[in-house]
Amino acid sequence: MPFGNSHNQLKMKFSSEQEYPDLSKHNNHMAKVLTPALYEKLRSKQTPSGFTLDDVIQTGVDNPGHPFIMTVGCVAGDEETYEVFKELLDPIIQDRHGGYKPTDKHKTDLNPSNLKGGDDLDANYVLSSRVRTGRSICGFCLPPHCSRGERRAVEKLSVEALGALTGDLKGKYYALKNMTEAEQQQLIDDHFLFDKPVSPLLLASGMARDWPDARGIWHNDNKTFLVWVNEEDHLRVISMQKGGNMKEVFNRFCTGLTKIEELFKNKGHAFMWNEHLGYVLTCPSNLGTGLRAGVHVKLPNLSKYRQFEEILKRLRLQKRGTGGVDTAAVGGVFDISNADRLGFSEVELVQMVVDGVKLLIVMEKRLEKGQAIEDLMPAQK
Amino acid sequence: MASSFARVLSSKRKVGILSLVGAGSLTVGFFLNREQHVNAGAHVRRIYPPSAEYPDLRKHNNCMASHLTPAVYAKLSDKTTPNGYTLDLAIQTGVDNPGHPFIKTVGMVAGDEESYEVFAGIFNPVIKERHNGYDPCTMNHPTDLDASKIRGGQFDDKYVLSSRVRTGRSIRGLSLPPACTRAERREVERVVIDALAGLKGDLAGKYFSLTLMTEQEQQQLIDDHFLFDKPVSPLLTCAGMARDWPDARGIWHNNEKTFLVWVNEEDHTRVISMEKGGNMKRVFERFCKGLQEVERLIQEKGWEFMWNEHLGYILTCPSNLGTGLRAGVHVTLPRLSKDPRFPKILDNLRLQKRGTGGVDTAAVGNTFDISNLDRLGQSEVQLVQTVIDGVNYLIECEKKLERGQDIKIPAPISQFK
């Protein structure tokens, strides 16, 4: 919650035991790590903006999780959350990001010329290609904790910065609360419009407060570069197009991001970044690159193959339905993307997707012809 | 009757919450803290002026939005209650839920007893609008739980299927559901079930904690229509009252299943007396007896209910202040309900209709939930009498229509007696 941290003082009047949440039915990263002893140690702390331990974990307390899906169960309210509550967040980050240690350094690489290939994914199979990430603006609290004034300031700054983009990146901002019916329908048809979050994972963290105040969508005139303002993060940046030219998508992604970063810097605002955690975002699962590079690809045969999951795992890829996270695949079309976020650079992750999807298509083609694919089984990356 | 319920601000508080006397020092301490943070270095929270924080209420239609001018917001936005509850927290639900063109919701909640005082600048006009002109500054609310004063109250079972009276009670000294910490919520549970365990005779019963209940117990409670679910209405969830669900929530009921208490749902407690058929008098008698017994039992341990002479019983939502009482029946009115004068008749009788699933539901068949509109400014006895007299009138209308006779719209009854 945004203001006033005298509420945390109130809790200190009760013993740690009396306040400790009941996590006995929980299955998320937070519940695995937050012992009573750790709760006691951290509960009196708060970040300079007043974000507390209970603020961090509320979403994890309210959403016990799922037997099969391990959610994170924590959010950050500001950049300092990751420092002040590192004893809770470091082990969670380590578990979620494949063993990434508190002493590890994260590499950022947004040079698209380092990507090999990726311009020729078979368009008979790959329907669309997309890369997304998030960025947070230094000095402002994150969506779970920001006040209306802060959120509006983030919007104002973002609209000004994006307004300075030129060439094929030149575009327009659509504030959610001012949108006309016609604009809204167009954005829906373009698959650009984001809705007020309905997932209890997000709602419980407070990031949907004051909806739709200071939320909006910016996109370029070509409709290939898109920025969401004040949804789950300050900014979500998306590059996408139909077909299989991931290289072009990634080119535009890097160029656009770099330009945007420059424009923000010109206004005296850097993005939240440090050499340990990379880009700092609201959810610990999006640290590092915050990058998800993916394709919508037709794999009707391969998806029924008994080792499909194993193949994806070895390629460090993840499948989702075409409606995004938590949706089911429709008609054999899957959203295939990188599983990792932290500990690999942007180029490395996109490379994994490009190489991995190429292989999946080869396998699909073999299975179409009734041929075996065991010899194609990849090693664990 | 007020003497039986002497409201003395008890100095005996089990939990070391700062008393109102200490409010000033805590608030000052809080601000000193913020000053230090401001000087602490580069990564410091910006503090925006009230004009930059004022919510956009242009598309809103709730009581809060009608009265929260920029000036009122500016005046109250940096205040906190002794427990740390703020204006922004109080209004969050109203900001997040613009409302409906036809239904005007309240749009704000209290986080603790002191909210109504500290934020009186917005609560008072909201209360006045919601409660038909009741002015907390100048008016006193009558509390009367003497069921012997009720006249009549036994309806024809041919029309009235069931009778029910509900209210809420808050435990003084503990924050309300939108703001309470887990420890406070657990303390509410402990205090209440400790008191309920002392009930005897036809009121003796058992507590079912939501976290511990067995599948079988759960099914039984569902079949009895007693089980409450985690709130899904955004009006409630945006106010923060569903946090930590189902921790410290539960249902208590007597063995006869006619007296029921919900613990830590929308309020600290919701108290319900109900039975099949039309004996509203007996339902209200049990209601009063149960409430008075519970009050006596918590007082033995040094606790009391939140109450004051202007607002009556203090509850989370301003709409439930005063008596917090909704007395109602499920009644079948096949002819009357189709008569175009039905809404006006209800209105003049100060009654409200709902579907039989409760608020926000539609009526099924010809059976309606008919209950009192008012909560504040009239006593429990007065409101229940209003329901009894009103339902009798409705049944008379129904009977007249059955006989092919005409009916009359009654004269409107006055609001504050």
Side-chain angles (χ1 to χ4, degrees):
Chain A
M1 283 293 180
F3 284 108
N5 206 40
S6 39
H7 198 248
N8 210 40
Q9 315 299 331
L10 168 70
K11 282 178 216 163
M12 297 311 295
K13 296 182 187 306
F14 295 90
S15 74
S16 181
E17 211 174 24
Q18 289 173 304
E19 287 290 357
Y20 181 70
D22 179 355
L23 301 173
S24 53
K25 297 204 175 97
H26 286 58
N27 183 43
N28 56 48
H29 285 289
M30 180 277 291
K32 280 170 81 174
V33 174
L34 190 69
T35 58
L38 188 57
Y39 184 80
E40 175 150 28
K41 194 165 183 206
L42 297 178
R43 74 185 192 119
S44 59
K45 294 187 195 296
Q46 59 189 63
T47 67
S49 76
F51 204 63
T52 66
L53 177 64
D54 279 323
D55 291 329
V56 173
I57 66 172
Q58 190 67 58
T59 179
V61 175
D62 288 347
N63 297 290
H66 195 274
F68 309 143
I69 301 165
M70 183 72 118
T71 45
V72 175
C74 284
V75 290
D78 51 25
E79 191 167 11
E80 295 79 3
T81 302
Y82 288 102
E83 189 53 47
V84 173
F85 300 108
K86 67 195 314 334
E87 284 165 83
L88 169 68
L89 294 171
D90 279 348
I92 290 175
I93 289 166
Q94 189 155 353
D95 202 3
R96 178 61 175 220
H97 293 283
Y100 192 80
K101 296 189 293 299
T103 49
D104 284 341
K105 302 262 181 283
H106 171 80
K107 196 169 53 162
T108 293
D109 182 358
L110 282 161
N111 184 349
S113 57
N114 289 338
L115 181 71
K116 300 195 238 320
D119 53 349
D120 59 350
L121 297 174
D122 191 335
N124 291 317
Y125 294 85
V126 176
L127 306 177
S128 60
S129 307
R130 181 182 185 267
V131 182
R132 70 88 157 149
T133 188
R135 290 292 186 265
S136 310
I137 305 168
C138 277
F140 295 93
C141 291
L142 297 171
H145 190 44
C146 65
S147 71
R148 279 182 293 272
E150 282 182 297
R151 199 187 297 111
R152 289 161 177 173
V154 166
E155 183 192 36
K156 180 163 186 287
L157 196 55
S158 304
V159 169
E160 280 167 13
L162 295 168
L165 288 170
T166 57
D168 70 320
L169 291 176
K170 180 168 154 328
K172 191 177 164 189
Y173 181 68
Y174 302 85
L176 248 58
K177 65 179 182 177
N178 294 337
M179 220 175 259
T180 65
E181 286 255 11
E183 287 169 338
Q184 189 176 308
Q185 194 52 51
Q186 187 61 59
L187 288 164
I188 291 172
D189 295 339
D190 294 329
H191 305 289
F192 283 173
L193 189 65
F194 62 87
D195 270 325
K196 179 172 178 173
V198 292
S199 166
L201 300 173
L202 299 182
L203 296 176
S205 73
M207 54 179 90
R209 288 169 299 124
D210 314 312
W211 202 274
D213 197 317
R215 272 84 166 191
I217 293 163
W218 179 97
H219 69 77
N220 65 350
D221 298 332
N222 296 341
K223 296 187 182 177
T224 52
F225 193 70
L226 168 66
V227 178
W228 291 352
V229 178
N230 285 318
E231 194 237 10
E232 187 184 328
D233 282 293
H234 285 167
L235 305 171
R236 283 287 177 97
V237 180
I238 302 151
S239 170
M240 60 200 263
Q241 64 192 54
K242 292 225 181 295
N245 195 342
M246 181 61 91
K247 192 169 183 54
E248 195 171 75
V249 169
F250 188 55
N251 272 0
R252 187 183 314 111
F253 177 80
C254 296
T255 311
L257 261 180
T258 310
K259 283 227 162 68
I260 290 173
E261 182 154 22
E262 198 187 302
L263 290 164
F264 272 94
K265 279 216 178 99
N266 289 344
K267 294 183 164 303
H269 293 277
F271 289 146
M272 289 183 196
W273 180 94
N274 66 59
E275 61 175 4
H276 168 52
L277 295 178
Y279 288 101
V280 175
L281 294 176
T282 303
C283 182
S285 70
N286 282 321
L287 290 165
T289 59
L291 185 137
R292 195 170 88 85
V295 296
H296 283 188
V297 58
K298 290 193 260 200
L299 300 170
N301 295 292
L302 185 58
S303 56
K304 295 194 193 72
Y305 184 67
R306 65 191 154 71
Q307 285 200 291
F308 183 44
E309 311 270 349
E310 179 62 22
I311 293 167
L312 291 176
K313 181 171 163 291
R314 293 188 189 184
L315 293 173
R316 307 193 74 87
L317 298 176
Q318 173 190 72
K319 76 177 187 334
R320 300 181 180 191
T322 51
V325 71
D326 300 346
T327 66
V330 174
V333 180
F334 288 81
D335 178 316
I336 303 287
S337 63
N338 52 295
D340 302 298
R341 302 275 182 273
L342 174 65
F344 298 91
S345 74
E346 288 81 353
V347 166
E348 284 169 346
L349 292 176
V350 179
Q351 193 69 66
M352 276 191 240
V353 172
V354 162
D355 298 345
V357 169
K358 268 208 160 102
L359 179 60
L360 295 177
I361 293 172
V362 169
M363 289 176 163
E364 176 69 22
K365 285 173 172 172
R366 285 252 195 118
L367 291 172
E368 267 173 34
K369 299 200 196 85
Q371 292 166 354
I373 59 169
E374 278 83 4
D375 60 308
L376 294 174
M377 281 297 286
Q380 177 68 56
K381 279 188 151 37
Chain B
M1 279 308 119
S3 59
S4 307
F5 312 105
R7 316 287 160 197
V8 176
L9 191 65
S10 171
S11 58
K12 272 196 284 178
R13 293 187 184 191
K14 291 280 167 163
V15 179
I17 309 296
L18 288 175
S19 68
L20 287 170
V21 170
S25 58
L26 177 65
T27 317
V28 168
F30 163 69
F31 281 115
L32 279 179
N33 248 356
R34 281 177 83 176
E35 281 307 302
Q36 284 164 14
H37 293 146
V38 169
N39 297 330
H43 294 280
V44 147
R45 183 162 209 179
R46 288 179 167 66
I47 292 166
Y48 292 87
S51 56
E53 296 288 0
Y54 181 70
D56 183 349
L57 301 172
R58 290 172 295 169
K59 295 200 175 104
H60 287 59
N61 182 42
N62 56 51
C63 295
M64 178 277 292
S66 297
H67 299 283
L68 189 73
T69 61
V72 172
Y73 182 80
K75 192 157 179 221
L76 299 176
S77 63
D78 60 353
K79 300 201 185 319
T80 72
T81 68
N83 299 324
Y85 201 66
T86 65
L87 177 67
D88 279 321
L89 290 170
I91 65 172
Q92 190 68 60
T93 179
V95 175
D96 288 347
N97 297 288
H100 194 274
F102 309 143
I103 300 166
K104 195 161 191 186
T105 43
V106 174
M108 65 188 305
V109 291
D112 52 21
E113 186 166 11
E114 294 82 357
S115 296
Y116 286 106
E117 188 58 48
V118 174
F119 305 114
I122 179 62
F123 272 113
N124 283 355
V126 165
I127 288 166
K128 203 165 179 191
E129 179 180 346
R130 180 59 177 221
H131 295 283
N132 309 295
Y134 184 87
D135 187 349
C137 298
T138 58
M139 293 162 80
N140 282 1
H141 169 81
T143 291
D144 186 353
L145 284 160
D146 179 0
S148 70
K149 292 179 179 162
I150 294 293
R151 300 180 311 277
Q154 300 197 57
F155 304 118
D156 189 338
D157 279 16
K158 185 165 151 233
Y159 299 91
V160 173
L161 308 178
S162 60
S163 308
R164 182 181 185 267
V165 182
R166 70 87 160 148
T167 189
R169 290 290 186 264
S170 310
I171 308 294
R172 176 161 280 161
L174 296 167
S175 302
L176 296 170
C180 65
T181 73
R182 279 183 294 273
E184 284 185 297
R185 199 186 297 110
R186 291 163 178 172
E187 184 71 350
V188 167
E189 186 189 36
R190 190 194 66 75
V191 168
V192 172
I193 66 181
D194 188 55
L196 293 170
L199 291 174
K200 299 192 180 10
D202 67 321
L203 291 176
K206 191 177 165 191
Y207 182 66
F208 302 88
S209 140
L210 248 58
T211 49
L212 301 174
M213 80 174 53
T214 66
E215 285 253 12
Q216 212 181 349
E217 287 169 337
Q218 188 175 311
Q219 194 52 52
Q220 186 61 58
L221 287 164
I222 291 172
D223 295 339
D224 292 329
H225 305 289
F226 283 174
L227 189 64
F228 62 87
D229 271 324
K230 179 172 178 174
V232 291
S233 164
L235 300 174
L236 300 181
T237 55
C238 291
M241 51 182 92
R243 286 168 304 126
D244 313 313
W245 201 275
D247 196 317
R249 274 84 167 191
I251 293 162
W252 180 98
H253 68 76
N254 66 349
N255 299 329
E256 298 180 11
K257 299 185 180 177
T258 54
F259 192 68
L260 170 66
V261 177
W262 290 352
V263 179
N264 286 320
E265 194 238 9
E266 187 185 330
D267 280 294
H268 284 173
T269 67
R270 283 289 178 94
V271 179
I272 301 150
S273 171
M274 58 202 265
E275 45 180 89
K276 291 231 180 295
N279 199 337
M280 178 61 90
K281 187 172 169 64
R282 188 165 64 201
V283 167
F284 187 56
E285 279 167 354
R286 186 185 312 111
F287 177 81
C288 295
K289 180 174 152 205
L291 270 175
Q292 287 156 337
E293 258 306 282
V294 172
E295 182 156 25
R296 188 185 68 74
L297 288 160
I298 65 167
Q299 282 172 340
E300 270 177 9
K301 302 279 172 81
W303 297 91
E304 53 186 15
F305 291 141
M306 290 183 195
W307 181 95
N308 70 53
E309 57 178 2
H310 296 297
L311 297 178
Y313 289 102
I314 304 294
L315 293 176
T316 302
C317 181
S319 69
N320 282 321
L321 289 166
T323 59
L325 185 138
R326 192 170 91 84
V329 295
H330 283 187
V331 59
T332 314
L333 302 166
R335 290 168 189 73
L336 181 59
S337 58
K338 293 187 189 68
D339 193 296
R341 293 166 286 187
F342 185 42
K344 184 72 181 153
I345 293 171
L346 288 175
D347 214 53
N348 284 5
L349 293 173
R350 309 276 334 137
L351 295 177
Q352 168 189 73
K353 80 176 192 321
R354 300 181 181 190
T356 51
V359 69
D360 301 344
T361 65
V364 174
N366 297 305
T367 306
F368 292 86
D369 178 313
I370 304 287
S371 63
N372 52 295
L373 265 174
D374 303 308
R375 303 268 183 275
L376 174 64
Q378 291 191 66
S379 74
E380 290 81 354
V381 165
Q382 286 168 332
L383 291 175
V384 173
Q385 193 65 60
T386 300
V387 172
I388 288 169
D389 297 343
V391 170
N392 279 336
Y393 192 90
L394 296 177
I395 292 171
E396 276 314 302
C397 286
E398 183 66 27
K399 286 177 172 171
K400 283 195 169 144
L401 292 171
E402 272 172 33
R403 297 193 290 264
Q405 292 170 335
D406 197 21
I407 58 172
K408 274 214 291 271
I409 297 175
I413 60 182
S414 60
Q415 258 153 238
F416 303 123
K417 299 202 161 99

